[in-house]
Structures are given as C-alpha cells and as structure tokens.
Amino acid sequence: MLGLMQNWPLLQHKIIDHAAAQYGDQEVVTRSVEGPIHRTNYRQVRERALRVAQRLAKDGVKSGDRVATLAWNTWRHLEAWYGITGIGAVYHTINPRLFPEQIAWIANHAQDRLVLLDLTFVPLMEQVADKIPSVERYVILTDRAHMPATKLKNAVAYEDWIAEVDGDFKWAEFDENTAAGLCYTSGTTGDPKGVLYSHRSNVLHALQACMKDTLAVSATDSILPIVPMFHANAWSLAFSVPLAGAKFVMPGAKLDGASIYELLETEKVTFSAAVPTVWLMLMQNMQATGGKLTTLKRVAIGGSACPPSMIEYFEERGVNVHHAWGMTEMSPIGTIGAIKPAVSGLKGKELLDLKSKQGHAIFAVEMKITDDEGNRLPWDGKKFGRLKVRGPAISRRYFKREDEEILDSEGYFDTGDVATIDPNGYMQITDRAKDVIKSGGEWISSIDIENLAVGHPQVAEAAVIGVAHPKWDERPLLVVVAKEGAEPDRKTILSYMDGKIAKWWMPDDVQFVREIPHTATGKINKLKLRQEFKDYKLPSE
Ligand code: AMP
C-alpha cells in the first residue's frame, strides 16, 4: 500500500522559490569581479534565474544538456545554477585552476553546449576554445560596459543575453531524479571522473546541511561561503543558504586574507566555510594587522585535515570550529565535528583531540571501515581501515562510465581514504589510501605528523611522505615550509615533536622547501612531492 501524501518532487528550483517567497528581501551580497560590492536579494535572484532559464530555452538548450560555468562565487553564478537546472539542463562547474588541456578534456567529455564565464577567465578560455567544438556560445558574466574584446564564439555579455527575454516563464516540471549538476573529480592519476548530482540528491543534501548538528544554517545568519562553487558542489551552500533564508555573502575573485577579513566584518558574517589554506591566509593577515573578528561565530573547515593549531586559533577568538570531511562524490558533506551528548563533558586537550577528528556521519550517510579484503573493522578509534560510505546523495556511477561498478556488494562506495572510527562514531582520517606510509608492516598516519609539525611556531606548512628504506620498507620524511622570516632547523622541529607521537612515527629526516606543491583543489599534491624527492636518500641509510 502506498502512502497518500502529495507527490512533490524534490526539485532544486523549489529552493529558490521558497527563498523568494519567504525571504524575498534577504540580501545577496557579492564582491563583484568588476570591483564594487553588489547587492541584490532572493526575489531578484529568482526573477533573473527565470530569465536565464527562458534564455537557455530560446537557445534550444534542452533537458539533460550541459551548460558549463567557469566562475567565482557571485550572484550571477548563483542565478545561472538555478536557471540552468530550472529547465532540466545540467550545470557543469569547471575548476579554473586546472591546466588548460584538462579543461578542454573535461569540457569535451561533458559535451558542454554553452560556457558561462567570468571576465577573469576570458584569456584562459581563449587558449582552449578551439579544442572544444561542442560549445556554441560563450556568455561572459558581466555587463556591456565591462565586456572585453574577445574572439570567443558568439560571445555576449550576460546582462545583454538575459535582457533579450521578458522573464515571463515557468520552471519545467520533471522527475526529481533528473540530473542537475556535473563536477569532475580532480584525480591526480588517470582521467577525471564526472560526478552527476540529481535534483533529489542536491535538495536532500541541502536539508541535511541545514541541520543544527551539521552546518546549522539559519535565516538569522550571514553566511560567507568561501569554498568555490567550482569545488565539490560548494559544500551544498548554494542550496542550503537560500533554503534557510540566510544572508548570502560571496567573495567573487578575491580570496586573499585582507579581502576576506574585510567582508567578514563589513557584512557582519556569522558563519563561513573554507579549506585550511584559505583560513591560513586570513590568520596571517589578522596576525599582521591585529584584526579582530567581531561577528563571526562558526566556521566549517574541510577539504584537507584541519590542524589542531588552527582550531585553537579560532576558538581562542570565540569562533566555534566544525571540522568537516567529504568529497565530490558525496555532494559533498560526509561527516562533521558536532558535539554528541557522550562527549559533551570533554574539556581542554581532550576536546581539542575530538574536534581534530573529522566528525561523525550526518543523517543519510552510512559509514564502515574495512580491511583490504572488505571485512568490517571495529569502531575502537585505533584500527585503521578503508573508509566506505553509502547514502542517497552519494555517487553510484560516474558520468559516461555507467558500466563500471564502483560500489561493493553492500552498496558502499570506497572513498579512497583510510580512517579510524571511535566508539562514539567519530571518524578520523589518517591518510589517502595511496599515501599511507607502511613501516615494518604497520601503518603510519602522515596527517597526524603533519598536524603536529604545523603546530610549531616557525612552520607554515608541512607534508609527510614515505621514503623507501631497506629494513622498514618505508620511513617518514617531513617536508617543511618555514614561516616568512623564520629559519627553523631539523633539530628544533624534531625535538618539538619528540614525545608527542609514538617514537617509531618520528620522521627520519626534515627537509626544508620554499613551496609544497598543491592540486587544483588546494590539497597537498603528494604524488608530485614524491617525484620531487625521488632521488632523496634518508640519512640513516
Ligand atoms: P574532493 O573531492 O576534491 O573534495 O576531495 C575529497 C578528499 O579530500 C577526501 O577523500 C579526503 O581525502 C580529503 N578531505 C576532505 N576533507 C578532509 C578533512 N577534513 N580531513 C582530511 N582529508 C579531507
């Protein structure tokens, strides 16, 4: 027997409809790519998103067609996402930090019909446009006054493009399982893989994200998502912020410490989300200028492990840190470091240790850890295993690779991460499976050592890689970038770490470099780092 409730498909445009109906005057503020601060509201974002939908329909864009965006977080990008999906087409976010050949590969694989791009990326797109024959038109996200001279095919200013229709348009109605968004993983090996979100998965994930013990998004918040819309579905914030009716603040192209600090203060931001490298830039700026955070209450930090020293920095300033973990394939949030009753009594170092873990699974994410044969491992906080997940907003196949099985017999997706889970359900990532250091038959967590090393006052960034060793297979090498003006040596760093981790986890050596290589999503590129140190020999050999 079926239930007798209304069939109301979970479609993304219902979110912007709700925001416009209930919070129509709520502000949407952007540091525009052209320069000035731009202000609009949810009512206008919806009206203009309808124009985008109508304009795309006029161009013959149909349900399932891909429309690429190569853009910063701005109100126009937000309108574009809702407009594209409002006719059943698919927003395809391209990460501009990829190499031009990768961008061409991805756009060809996706068979994008249009590309909507910011002024910043016109020169980049001009380099690759003739390699992407599927694109019929380039829409520059600006107005006529700022329109550059460009040879991009059928280039038009976004404002002129949407002015060609009257906005008298209705969203299409379709099945909630219809594809909505496409985001390619930034795999360091092999071809990028397309993660294809649906309306249902995006709406469900937005609801999950709003929950008090997830991101606690509320209409009384002012929220600055620094995490770009081209990275991992913007941690759902393009959906959860309007869904909750919060003030939406967007940083445009300026992600440096000074610009972010200014926006946090002038727009009275209460909650923000970004990867650790962005927070590091903010911290360095505040240290240099003596800036204070007067409105910020909470931050979500994820994408890479958040070092305990960063958690301490924010919490000493009255800002609650939620360490989060997830991935593009998970829409992307998997776990968050909210406090459960069982651990609510923790204080000091114990609380910091708990907050340094990546947190517990949110509703509709089921987790397990297994050994290499797929046998479940206990949740004892000690045993490391492959972390696997299942849920309604988690990939079951990759785009155009539908014949490849990516789930195990129980329907779990292997995240490629290695983790422990403690008896209270708090998960801690120790490594990517391909980065774990195997020493004397045991695993050493490079993230633990890195977290400790960056706690040293003279260390700006640290990375640990395994180096071949005749007796132990591999031993850890610590690679360090010193803080500006500091000149730490091997001995001071090792003696700082001594006693804080197991003796056999202590790095065999420390090497100083000017820069550690990063991937397009800001993670340490260990593959490249290992290549850079391929001829290196440990002093003990
Ligand atoms: P992406 O799909 O680009 O978001 O990358 C997902 C991967 O980033 C995960 O599989 C993890 O390896 C890593 N990651 C994300 N969040 C964290 C975190 N809080 N701590 C450690 N690694 C993380």
Side-chain angles (χ1 to χ4, degrees):
M1 183 163 65
L2 295 177
L4 291 173
M5 306 312 281
Q6 295 183 12
N7 186 10
W8 197 86
L10 300 176
L11 298 177
Q12 232 167 254
H13 47 255
K14 306 274 194 196
I15 293 179
I16 201 70
D17 284 352
H18 175 69
Q22 294 297 328
Y23 310 100
D25 294 330
Q26 181 64 284
E27 275 193 302
V28 176
V29 184
T30 308
R31 185 189 296 284
S32 69
V33 175
E34 293 88 348
I37 296 290
H38 175 273
R39 288 176 195 278
T40 180
N41 60 33
Y42 285 128
R43 191 175 308 109
Q44 286 167 16
V45 166
R46 178 179 178 275
E47 277 170 22
R48 285 161 53 93
L50 275 165
R51 280 176 181 266
V52 173
Q54 189 180 14
R55 189 65 191 79
L56 286 168
K58 193 171 167 206
D59 269 348
V61 173
K62 303 221 161 27
S63 175
D65 286 349
R66 275 76 63 197
V67 177
T69 63
L70 192 70
W72 302 108
N73 294 4
T74 71
W75 81 101
R76 289 188 180 117
H77 198 176
L78 191 68
E79 293 162 3
W81 273 25
Y82 283 101
I84 294 165
T85 55
I87 54 164
V90 178
Y91 62 87
H92 167 210
T93 49
I94 302 184
N95 183 341
R97 296 181 185 131
L98 294 170
F99 294 117
E101 352 19 303
Q102 291 172 308
I103 292 180
W105 189 96
I106 285 174
N108 273 314
H109 190 267
Q111 288 288 291
D112 294 322
R113 287 191 59 186
L114 272 83
V115 178
L116 275 54
L117 69 159
D118 270 329
L119 283 167
T120 329
F121 306 122
V122 171
L124 173 63
M125 211 61 226
E126 283 174 338
Q127 282 179 52
V128 294
D130 52 350
K131 299 193 186 84
I132 324 171
S134 64
V135 178
E136 295 153 29
R137 158 159 257 185
Y138 290 87
V139 179
I140 321 292
L141 294 160
T142 191
D143 55 18
R144 187 176 298 176
H146 294 90
M147 188 65 183
T150 172
K151 292 203 187 72
L152 288 174
K153 201 192 291 173
N154 293 324
V156 60
Y158 174 85
E159 295 297 338
D160 287 346
W161 184 65
I162 60 169
E164 287 173 20
V165 288
D166 59 10
D168 183 12
F169 194 72
K170 280 200 170 51
W171 304 122
E173 288 293 328
F174 40 83
D175 189 287
E176 64 182 17
N177 288 298
T178 303
L182 178 64
C183 179
Y184 283 78
T185 61
S186 54
T188 39
T189 50
D191 290 333
K193 294 187 283 265
V195 174
L196 193 59
Y197 307 110
S198 67
H199 282 258
R200 174 184 155 83
S201 67
N202 274 344
V203 174
L204 279 178
H205 197 64
L207 289 165
Q208 291 169 271
C210 284
M211 285 177 63
K212 176 84 167 37
D213 282 336
T214 311
L215 301 179
V217 186
S218 152
T220 54
D221 276 314
S222 167
I223 301 184
L224 172 67
I226 310 175
V227 52
M229 291 165 76
F230 55 75
H231 180 201
N233 221 15
W235 299 5
S236 120
L237 292 162
F239 310 122
S240 45
V241 177
L243 191 154
K247 174 174 169 182
F248 207 146
V249 186
M250 287 181 271
K254 295 217 163 144
L255 306 185
D256 61 283
S259 305
I260 293 297
Y261 178 76
E262 190 187 70
L263 267 191
L264 287 172
E265 286 299 305
T266 54
E267 298 306 324
K268 301 191 171 28
V269 171
T270 54
F271 170 60
S272 182
V275 296
T277 40
V278 165
W279 294 124
L280 206 61
M281 290 192 288
L282 176 75
M283 285 157 62
Q284 280 164 356
N285 173 267
M286 286 171 57
Q287 270 153 3
T289 60
K292 295 208 170 25
L293 296 166
T294 59
T295 61
L296 193 66
K297 297 277 175 300
R298 293 173 292 119
V299 288
I301 306 184
S304 308
C306 173
S309 51
M310 187 171 278
I311 299 177
E312 277 179 308
Y313 180 89
F314 279 108
E315 301 221 331
E316 279 162 9
R317 286 159 182 79
V319 179
N320 199 353
V321 173
H322 298 289
H323 191 185
W325 164 87
M327 61 194 311
T328 308
E329 285 90 335
M330 300 180 70
S331 291
I333 305 168
T335 62
I336 187 109
I339 302 295
K340 292 187 189 181
V343 292
S344 62
L346 294 183
K347 293 210 165 52
K349 167 87 171 62
E350 280 181 332
L351 181 59
L352 182 62
D353 287 348
L354 180 89
K355 291 200 140 199
S356 304
K357 296 187 176 194
Q358 277 74 6
H360 58 80
I362 61 172
F363 172 66
V365 172
E366 292 176 2
M367 297 194 298
K368 66 176 177 181
I369 41 172
T370 75
D371 61 18
D372 286 343
E373 281 72 51
N375 304 308
R376 281 178 194 253
L377 295 173
W379 290 19
D380 62 4
K382 295 189 187 87
K383 275 251 177 305
F384 302 6
R386 288 177 163 274
L387 179 61
K388 298 177 183 172
V389 289
R390 65 179 182 190
I394 299 174
S395 296
R396 68 182 156 84
R397 287 286 191 277
Y398 289 111
F399 182 51
K400 292 190 183 167
R401 295 165 78 136
E402 283 88 344
D403 48 352
E404 272 174 49
E405 181 59 82
I406 58 168
L407 307 183
D408 71 9
S409 59
E410 295 181 322
Y412 282 82
F413 170 80
D414 189 336
T415 63
D417 287 324
V418 173
T420 60
I421 305 179
D422 73 17
N424 291 316
Y426 287 84
M427 184 275 287
Q428 183 157 31
I429 302 275
T430 55
D431 259 306
R432 288 293 291 166
K434 55 185 190 305
D435 296 333
V436 281
I437 301 163
K438 295 189 181 108
S439 186
E442 299 281 349
W443 289 1
I444 295 177
S445 160
S446 57
I447 294 183
D448 274 15
I449 310 177
E450 288 157 6
N451 275 348
L452 180 58
V454 292
H456 188 287
Q458 293 181 308
V459 172
E461 198 176 14
V464 174
I465 50 171
V467 178
H469 189 280
K471 182 166 173 204
W472 302 110
D473 284 343
E474 277 186 328
R475 289 295 304 153
L477 165 70
L478 174 63
V479 182
V480 164
V481 178
K483 276 198 182 147
E484 220 170 286
E487 286 184 16
D489 59 17
R490 176 181 188 276
K491 214 168 130 219
T492 42
I493 291 186
L494 290 180
S495 54
Y496 166 81
M497 298 171 73
D498 199 19
K500 298 190 178 101
I501 44 170
K503 265 230 151 0
W504 64 279
W505 281 31
M506 282 291 283
D508 280 25
D509 195 13
V510 185
Q511 290 282 304
F512 294 90
V513 293
R514 227 185 260 247
E515 209 182 330
I516 287 176
H518 287 91
T519 66
T521 51
K523 300 181 209 306
I524 293 175
N525 189 337
K526 296 238 170 139
L527 190 74
K528 189 138 182 252
L529 193 63
R530 282 194 290 267
Q531 276 160 5
E532 286 175 11
F533 280 88
K534 71 179 181 340
D535 298 326
Y536 168 84
K537 292 257 174 304
L538 290 168
S540 50
E541 280 184 60

